[in-house]
Amino acid sequence: MVRWRSGTVTAVRRRWHGAVELDVRQADGAPVRALAYPELVGDPEPGDRVLLNVGALLMGLGTGGYALVVALPDRLPADPPETVDTRDAGHLVKARYTPLQPILLGVDEEASPHRAALVDADDLGGLPVVTADLHSALPAIVAGIRADAPDARIGYLMTDGGALPAWFSRTLDGLAGQLAGTVTVGQAFGGDLEATNLHSGLLAARHVLRADVAVVAQGPGNLGTGTRWGFSGVAVGEAVNAVAALGGRPVGSLRISGADPRDRHRGLSHHSLTAYGRVALAAADLVLPAELPAELAALVEPALAGLVGRHRLVRVPVHGLDEALRASPVRLSTMGRGLAEEHAYFLAAAAAGRYAAGLR
């Protein structure tokens, strides 16, 4: 449940698109690092009293380890300029029936300027779509696409398995010049376009963003219980099905690691094995780097047996991808490990991006 605290803003630390990081002194005098989304709660300033949710902070979560600002009770933000008593400004309610549910304009609603492009849209026309388990794969996939197709229009579909506000992601802030746009789908919100579900979001990427390549991955903060089925990344398999149902070309980015201390993720992660091997009912092109260290390859190759009967295995040359990864405009990090420690993980994601770029 919610762990409530109150405090006073002592300093504004830094900002990125849609978010502001703060120093807050709690009522008991203890300092805390906090995060606010101005679109939801207003723009905090030093001296403002804030109400906080500190649950994730107390649990020591690496991704969500902030106290989150719930309200500025003494300085509430003004109402939005758009009318809220009609549907002219949209009626998509996300984070539904929670205290901070935003009401947004869906990309395909009657009031949307994109309604005409989507009202009869029903096909992706072979759009290559890379599906990935973790948000950390996104910049590596983008690097792989850009290595061979520097002018490609890349659309990102952020699903709701992790963070719901796209504003939480500093990766998206750093990739702003690399993406044609972000579509937040399901309960996720805060993208350039809002979609009801992944299917309508994919159509928006194709027909509104006019993407040449799309990437589907959850926001920051994967949830997992250490069991075969208890992780938010099972949605990767559902994404493969959605892409295929709409006439797109699913390209699977495999989660590979030689550094993860957990046996279930070393080599080929059980997340990939379950999502692609059990959940995905449509065939995808599953991408492997053509070159892997011998010790890691010895773990990965036997694990592929459960996937090759259902999917097409593609081995992609990696020349130039290391340089592309090192040139990424955002820092590459997954589970606290960077490019040097998890080189194979990021290389596999970049290889998926390179392969998708070649399918345009």
Side-chain angles (χ1 to χ4, degrees):
M1 300 303 289
V2 175
R3 270 71 172 177
W4 288 93
R5 300 290 188 273
S6 64
T8 302
V9 177
T10 57
V12 174
R13 293 171 59 95
R14 56 178 171 168
R15 296 176 180 270
W16 59 90
H17 177 69
V20 56
E21 189 180 75
L22 310 165
D23 287 331
V24 173
R25 184 179 65 253
Q26 297 181 83
D28 63 3
V32 67
R33 186 178 63 158
L35 192 71
Y37 302 119
E39 290 287 332
L40 295 183
V41 302
D43 203 347
E45 298 175 355
D48 281 337
R49 186 166 67 97
V50 291
L51 301 181
L52 304 171
N53 178 341
V54 299
L57 182 68
L58 293 177
M59 289 182 65
L61 298 181
T63 301
Y66 283 104
L68 294 172
V69 175
V70 180
L72 281 63
D74 304 323
R75 196 167 62 85
L76 297 176
D79 287 344
E82 304 89 354
T83 178
V84 294
D85 55 358
T86 72
R87 295 190 175 192
D88 291 345
H91 79 293
L92 260 67
V93 182
K94 295 201 176 186
R96 288 189 280 274
Y97 307 110
T98 64
L100 289 177
Q101 61 181 17
I103 300 177
L104 305 158
L105 179 62
V107 64
D108 55 358
E109 285 194 75
E110 291 88 344
S112 169
H114 309 299
R115 170 75 170 189
L118 292 174
V119 66
D120 293 319
D122 193 42
D123 194 274
L124 296 178
L127 178 72
V129 182
V130 183
T131 58
D133 180 17
L134 300 178
H135 190 68
S136 58
L138 174 62
I141 294 168
V142 170
I145 296 169
R146 292 261 175 252
D148 291 358
D151 297 325
R153 292 181 60 81
I154 305 171
Y156 169 51
L157 288 297
M158 182 175 137
T159 59
D160 53 16
L164 297 187
W167 308 316
F168 185 78
S169 173
R170 291 195 295 274
T171 292
L172 280 180
D173 187 61
L175 290 176
Q178 302 284 314
L179 299 174
T182 293
V183 187
T184 35
V185 306
Q187 295 297 307
F189 59 91
D192 300 293
L193 302 172
E194 303 287 351
T196 304
N197 54 46
L198 181 56
H199 295 75
S200 60
L202 286 164
L203 291 168
R206 171 68 178 86
H207 297 284
V208 176
L209 296 180
R210 302 201 174 279
D212 302 313
V213 184
V215 183
V216 176
Q218 63 186 328
N222 173 70
L223 174 61
T225 64
T227 62
R228 174 173 293 179
W229 292 101
F231 64 99
S232 53
V234 294
V236 171
E238 296 164 355
V240 169
N241 297 335
V243 174
L246 291 172
R249 183 77 176 265
V251 176
S253 176
L254 294 171
R255 182 173 171 181
I256 293 172
S257 175
D260 201 301
R262 299 164 294 182
D263 288 341
R264 65 184 183 274
H265 292 305
R266 196 175 300 116
L268 182 59
S269 169
H270 82 99
H271 284 195
S272 289
L273 291 171
T274 299
Y276 293 119
R278 300 287 299 278
V279 181
L281 303 179
D285 297 331
L286 301 184
V287 177
L288 268 180
E291 302 169 19
L292 285 174
E295 184 177 346
L296 180 57
L299 296 175
V300 170
E301 293 294 339
L304 294 170
L307 301 177
V308 293
R310 180 174 305 211
H311 303 287
R312 298 172 291 271
L313 185 62
V314 182
R315 299 181 189 272
V316 172
V318 299
H319 60 274
L321 291 183
D322 188 64
E323 292 82 355
L325 289 168
R326 295 183 189 281
S328 171
V330 299
R331 185 174 68 91
L332 300 178
S333 177
T334 186
M335 304 295 170
R337 297 182 294 273
L339 178 60
E341 299 94 335
E342 283 284 17
H343 189 262
Y345 167 81
F346 292 111
L347 189 65
R354 164 170 277 175
Y355 179 73
L359 295 176
R360 292 175 303 143

